[in-house]
Amino acid sequence: MTKWALFLFMLMLLPGCRQGEQTGSRGIDREVDLLLGKMTLREKIGQMSQIDVAALMKRVDPHGGFYGPFLEPNVLDKDSLQKYIVEYGISCVFNIGPHGYSIREWHGYIKEIQDYALHRTRLGIPVLYGVDAMHGASLTVGATLFPQQLAMASTWNPDLVKQAAEITAYEMRASNLPLTFGPSLDLGKHPVWSRLNESFGEDVLLTTILSKSTTEGMEGPGNSVDDKTRIATSIKHYIAYSFPLTGKDRTPAWFPEHYVREYFLPPFTECIRSGVHIVLLNSGELNGVPLHADKYWLKNVLRDEIGFDGIIMSDWYDIEKLNFFHHVAPTYKEAIIKALDAGIDMVMVPLDNRFMDLLTEIVNEGSIAESRIDESVRRILKLKYKLGLFEHPYRNPDEYPDFGSAGFRHVASQCALESVVLLKNADNILPLDRNLKVLVTGPAANTMSALNGGWTYSWQGHAADTYASEKNTILEAVRNELGADKLIYEPGSGFDSVIDINKAVKAAGLVDCIILCLGEPSYAETPGYIEDLYLPDAQTDLALAMAATGKPVILVLTEGRPRLISRFEEQMEGVLLSFLPGNEGGDALACVIFGDYNPNGKLPVTYPRYPNDLINYDHRYSERADHQFGNNHGYHPQYPFGYGLSYTSFGYANLQLSKDTIGPGDSLVVAVDIKNTGKVNGYEVAQLYIRDVYANLTPPFKRLRAFNKIFLFAGEQKTVRFIIQTEDLNYVGQDNQWTIEEGEFEVCIENLTTNFYLQD
Ligand code: BGC
């Protein structure tokens, strides 16, 4: 080896000089072109296709159809591997079998799939494997499970969200999973929606900031996804998925374009500008056009306007659904043409070979040019190179010593603690005196699945009690804090049906206080449909019966959306909530109940009072409850957006602005003094809202424009400063353009308000 060759070799071994950087993006482009040049049409179409692992697994009855049970332990079927991975050259495999796998099991399955791709296909292109990591690497047994996104949003802590995302990426890679379908950037504006818990809540700013923290944490600095601890993200679900008119998943949404641009688009734009690799589409329809066939939102806006050059990915089955579900294409074949014409690159097929066969026919007939196929394949191969899959198609789990470590668990515990929102504390019943005798009751008291929700060890999350049996339910955690002799447990009711309320009433006679754990069983997507936002009657009856005992009741809610409690809330002394805190949630709730931790979570969504009262906090002036014409049917929630109590109190004073008039391009400094006026240390989330007093399009009553979570010792005071730019005062006008109008604005922080003027 010459001196120069040795020098270059040593340079390649430097930590920053991995495959992506070594090849550089131009190098990758060259490699991609070379490979593409060798590919047949069939191989290219294989690269555009994604298959559900269910299609590769052995069934108990090989002829029993897709819904027949899997062989246990799960085994990959060699004929299916040969068919899909070798003959069709499928690019991407996703999803999990019926239950969670350890990192070694994942390694085994993925190595087997990869070996078919690498050694039995002509070109040896590695397969890309993806799963939903909605709250940690949550389909891997033994991984660190964080709160669901809505509970993470209740922390209002972007740094913590980023740390959780970094750990998730590490544990995904440890499981040999380099791709996730997430985070979800959907605005959680409809409380009935069964995927609300997968969102960061109803506000655009909070969603945008936390989405960026997540993608940055997962993809790493500079989106260096070839790093063995980072993964590629697929931001979803583009666009306007989360606010269907009925609240039911995958049903139509109707919004003027200016609303879509102002509310749904910003989180996507921000994450795309920070370099994410994939955009996963909305399975529903917007203004009568299914997003999978919407050239305007995919081509004109996503590609041309925002400049996204990554992969546009279809959601599950959604191309064929253009035909039989949405009825915009008379045949599957026409559906494929529409979807490709709209700009889709990769398709979740997900279960058979018809997509590949039909697309081959379509190209051979000339309805779609092969150059159009090349565009998509180029993007997909590029990502495979960037992820380092050609060099490391799989990794040895031993390379990940921190998987499931105590350090990672500590971060998950912190997330769970900060996700807890104290909503009511009459007569300071909380923290609870440890000398009291307590009855623990309710369906959510003794199950891990009510703490975790869906996407936990499986799609619906039903097996959390098996896989997380060493973690504490609320009951177990309270018992650990209090001692078994001071605690009685009676479930009283299931989630939907009564068990024995009388028994719980009798037990209440023997204690000083009741901890009532209500909420929801686990679910994901359509199985989470509900007809009624109220908590089911069985749980309401239990709550009313507990209140009637005259013993103080502390309601602990663990649920994926704000189920209504107005039929009994007034009779509860204390109310605590976490929107699914994950595996560490039982301990976190017990810590808060007994005062080991001072709660600081704030609601990332409005908690409605009545089913016909589903109004977001950023409603219009005309939706105010105190409207001058005596309208008291407006925004009158059980608890407002941003709300959350503490065991200490905070005083706000001296709200000051650096100027009272600003012009375009100026910035404004807003300062406020916050003092911890109570006796315990605590975190507070300072929230700055701005209200446009008059505008040509009816302005929202207020919008969150900045927030800052700070820690204050008892008695301590800090001045918090925010910088407001004139762009923070923009809105999208009827012409669908961002616009800024001069006039008066009000700044509101807690109970303080002041105003300023914007002049041209
Ligand atoms: C969901 C997506 C998910 C995909 C893959 C779909 O049904 O809508 O959010 O990423 O399945 O699991």
Side-chain angles (χ1 to χ4, degrees):
M1 203 181 261
T2 66
K3 233 186 346 184
W4 271 110
L6 183 67
F7 175 72
L8 285 174
F9 178 68
M10 297 301 286
L11 205 65
M12 279 170 58
L13 295 182
L14 287 177
C17 206
R18 290 174 301 266
Q19 192 257 329
E21 291 148 74
Q22 169 204 337
T23 325
S25 70
R26 253 181 297 153
I28 287 183
D29 288 342
R30 229 183 3 253
E31 302 269 352
V32 167
D33 283 340
L34 275 175
L35 188 52
L36 196 59
K38 295 181 201 158
M39 291 171 80
T40 62
L41 176 64
R42 190 181 172 90
E43 285 164 338
K44 290 176 189 173
I45 289 172
Q47 284 303 308
M48 290 177 70
S49 314
Q50 226 183 125
I51 195 128
D52 191 316
V53 73
L56 302 179
M57 285 201 166
K58 268 203 172 152
R59 307 287 172 154
V60 174
D61 172 3
H63 309 294
F66 180 70
Y67 294 101
F70 294 85
L71 213 62
E72 288 293 345
N74 297 166
V75 180
L76 291 167
D77 176 48
K78 300 212 177 329
D79 291 341
S80 305
L81 286 170
Q82 178 64 26
K83 172 175 170 185
Y84 288 111
I85 305 298
V86 181
E87 287 160 27
Y88 280 99
I90 295 276
S91 171
C92 188
V93 181
F94 74 104
N95 220 345
I96 187 164
H99 51 71
Y101 301 137
S102 68
I103 46 174
R104 299 212 176 264
E105 285 170 311
W106 272 121
H107 179 251
Y109 294 129
I110 289 169
K111 182 170 181 312
E112 195 175 345
I113 296 172
Q114 249 359 342
D115 285 344
Y116 270 75
L118 298 173
H119 308 307
R120 299 186 188 211
T121 64
R122 198 172 68 87
L123 297 170
I125 302 173
V127 159
L128 173 59
Y129 204 115
V131 299
D132 300 82
M134 294 314 295
H135 63 126
S138 54
L139 300 178
T140 302
V141 176
T144 309
L145 296 205
F146 295 93
Q148 293 273 0
Q149 270 193 212
L150 193 59
M152 290 299 277
S154 311
T155 71
W156 292 59
N157 187 340
D159 293 338
L160 196 57
V161 168
K162 185 169 179 183
Q163 255 181 292
E166 283 169 345
I167 293 170
T168 301
Y170 181 101
E171 296 196 339
M172 282 283 284
R173 278 286 192 163
S175 317
N176 270 289
L177 299 166
L179 166 67
T180 186
F181 309 119
S184 161
L185 276 52
D186 304 315
L187 282 193
K189 278 184 164 289
H190 204 314
V192 173
W193 191 45
S194 57
R195 307 190 76 173
L196 195 85
N197 69 86
E198 295 179 48
S199 81
F200 283 126
E202 75 189 46
D203 178 66
V204 186
L205 179 78
L206 190 60
T207 298
T208 305
I209 290 177
L210 299 184
S211 300
K212 257 185 92 177
S213 299
T214 308
T215 56
E216 285 171 7
M218 288 182 173
E219 297 219 345
N223 308 82
S224 52
V225 291
D226 62 325
D227 185 309
K228 70 172 189 181
T229 64
R230 305 291 178 172
I231 56 174
T233 59
S234 327
I235 51 176
K236 65 186 188 184
H237 303 80
Y238 183 84
I239 187 124
Y241 178 45
S242 50
F243 203 177
L245 195 59
T246 61
K248 303 224 166 140
D249 191 28
R250 292 167 157 88
T251 58
W254 305 93
F255 289 106
E257 183 174 337
H258 65 80
Y259 189 91
V260 178
R261 285 179 175 273
E262 183 167 339
Y263 288 86
F264 296 107
L265 204 54
F268 285 92
T269 310
E270 282 292 313
C271 288
I272 287 165
R273 300 222 159 117
S274 78
V276 299
H277 291 93
I278 302 174
V279 171
L280 178 63
L281 298 184
N282 167 2
S283 296
E285 56 185 73
L286 173 60
N287 302 330
V289 185
L291 268 297
H292 286 73
D294 197 330
K295 213 168 170 173
Y296 177 72
W297 285 105
L298 302 192
K299 195 173 173 330
N300 299 23
V301 179
L302 189 57
R303 288 272 188 240
D304 298 346
E305 226 180 277
I306 306 180
F308 179 63
D309 193 32
I311 297 166
I312 299 181
M313 190 185 276
S314 88
D315 204 353
W316 210 86
Y317 228 140
D318 280 329
I319 307 303
E320 191 169 359
K321 279 178 157 180
L322 294 176
N323 165 240
F324 71 84
F325 187 65
H326 296 289
H327 287 252
V328 294
T331 60
Y332 189 7
K333 200 164 166 181
E334 281 166 85
I336 296 173
I337 296 175
K338 259 188 188 270
L340 261 80
D341 198 36
I344 286 170
D345 296 308
M346 191 186 253
V347 174
M348 272 190 202
V349 174
L351 297 169
D352 57 37
N353 49 282
R354 285 172 306 144
F355 168 76
M356 290 79 86
D357 291 344
L358 289 172
L359 184 53
T360 311
E361 249 176 67
I362 292 167
V363 179
N364 285 335
E365 288 162 6
S367 306
I368 289 180
E370 192 163 342
S371 56
R372 164 66 188 84
I373 305 295
D374 289 352
E375 276 174 35
S376 294
V377 177
R378 197 171 270 116
R379 294 191 181 104
I380 292 157
L381 292 176
K382 196 165 169 179
L383 179 61
K384 290 188 174 185
Y385 274 107
K386 278 182 134 184
L387 281 164
L389 289 180
F390 285 86
E391 283 184 316
H392 299 287
Y394 39 82
R395 300 259 185 192
N396 184 338
D398 293 340
E399 291 179 54
Y400 297 86
D402 292 332
F403 175 86
S405 64
F408 285 1
R409 195 172 58 245
H410 177 75
V411 178
S413 299
Q414 188 61 28
C415 295
L417 287 166
E418 293 193 33
S419 79
V420 177
V421 191
L422 174 62
L423 293 170
K424 185 172 180 185
N425 199 9
D427 300 326
N428 292 328
I429 177 110
L430 289 166
L432 208 59
D433 181 345
R434 277 172 218 266
N435 295 313
L436 299 181
K437 239 184 140 191
V438 165
L439 165 68
V440 175
T441 185
N446 198 22
T447 165
M448 291 309 298
S449 58
L451 295 173
N452 278 295
W455 303 112
T456 307
Y457 308 118
S458 68
W459 180 40
Q460 293 298 311
H462 292 153
D465 286 288
T466 309
Y467 290 112
S469 57
E470 81 291 359
K471 300 286 176 185
N472 290 321
T473 61
I474 303 172
L475 171 67
E476 289 160 345
V478 169
R479 191 183 280 139
N480 290 345
E481 286 267 353
L482 204 60
D485 53 326
K486 284 197 241 109
L487 184 146
I488 303 178
Y489 170 57
E490 273 304 333
S493 147
F495 288 106
D496 286 303
S497 54
V498 165
I499 297 176
D500 193 338
I501 293 182
N502 286 339
K503 234 174 159 180
V505 169
K506 274 194 198 126
L510 307 172
V511 300
D512 306 302
C513 173
I514 299 164
I515 298 179
L516 171 64
C517 304
L518 304 184
E520 296 189 306
S522 68
Y523 56 82
E525 303 187 56
T526 41
Y529 274 12
I530 46 169
E531 302 299 340
D532 186 352
L533 194 55
Y534 273 112
L535 271 177
D537 290 349
Q539 297 192 57
T540 302
D541 291 349
L542 178 64
L544 290 169
M546 289 300 101
T549 64
K551 299 288 165 74
V553 184
I554 291 157
L555 171 64
V556 177
L557 291 164
T558 50
E559 52 191 7
R561 61 198 142 191
R563 300 299 295 265
L564 305 186
I565 54 171
S566 51
R567 288 177 174 150
F568 55 83
E569 193 267 355
E570 276 181 19
Q571 296 163 64
M572 304 288 108
E573 263 71 20
V575 180
L576 282 169
L577 157 76
S578 177
F579 287 118
L580 305 177
N583 272 349
E584 312 306 325
D587 286 336
L589 283 159
C591 279
V592 171
I593 290 172
F594 293 102
D596 301 333
Y597 189 77
N598 184 3
N600 50 64
K602 304 278 180 192
L603 287 179
V605 284
T606 298
Y607 206 113
R609 193 182 292 267
Y610 301 118
N612 295 345
D613 170 35
L614 307 182
I615 305 176
N616 297 136
Y617 91 91
D618 49 0
H619 57 81
R620 307 293 124 172
Y621 280 78
S622 53
E623 291 170 297
R624 275 180 301 168
D626 58 348
H627 191 268
Q628 55 173 328
F629 298 114
N631 163 15
N632 57 3
H633 306 298
Y635 191 67
H636 176 51
Q638 192 78 60
Y639 311 108
F641 173 85
Y643 183 72
L645 301 168
S646 163
Y647 292 154
T648 189
S649 48
F650 297 98
Y652 284 69
N654 290 330
L655 175 60
Q656 284 180 349
L657 309 182
S658 58
K659 301 169 191 163
D660 54 17
T661 304
I662 59 171
D666 280 354
S667 53
L668 179 73
V669 182
V670 180
V672 68
D673 294 338
I674 307 177
K675 184 169 184 184
N676 181 340
T677 49
K679 293 197 172 57
V680 280
N681 307 334
Y683 283 97
E684 169 67 334
V685 181
Q687 303 165 38
L688 183 152
Y689 295 89
I690 293 188
R691 167 178 301 153
D692 190 349
V693 181
Y694 295 99
N696 276 323
L697 267 187
T698 57
F701 183 60
K702 61 179 190 174
R703 286 282 299 270
L704 182 73
R705 294 302 186 183
F707 63 91
N708 190 356
K709 187 166 189 171
I710 56 164
F711 180 80
L712 289 170
F713 290 105
E716 191 186 6
Q717 174 173 313
K718 278 184 186 159
T719 301
V720 175
R721 287 191 177 74
F722 298 100
I723 298 177
I724 299 300
Q725 315 284 355
T726 42
E727 303 87 76
D728 296 328
L729 312 172
N730 283 359
Y731 72 93
V732 180
Q734 265 180 312
D735 58 358
N736 301 324
Q737 303 294 319
W738 285 97
T739 174
I740 185 154
E741 281 176 18
E742 60 178 4
E744 183 184 0
F745 290 84
E746 280 177 6
V747 177
C748 319
I749 302 185
E750 188 63 21
N751 52 342
L752 306 172
T753 303
T754 185
N755 63 347
F756 68 95
Y757 292 85
L758 177 74
Q759 277 181 356
D760 252 346

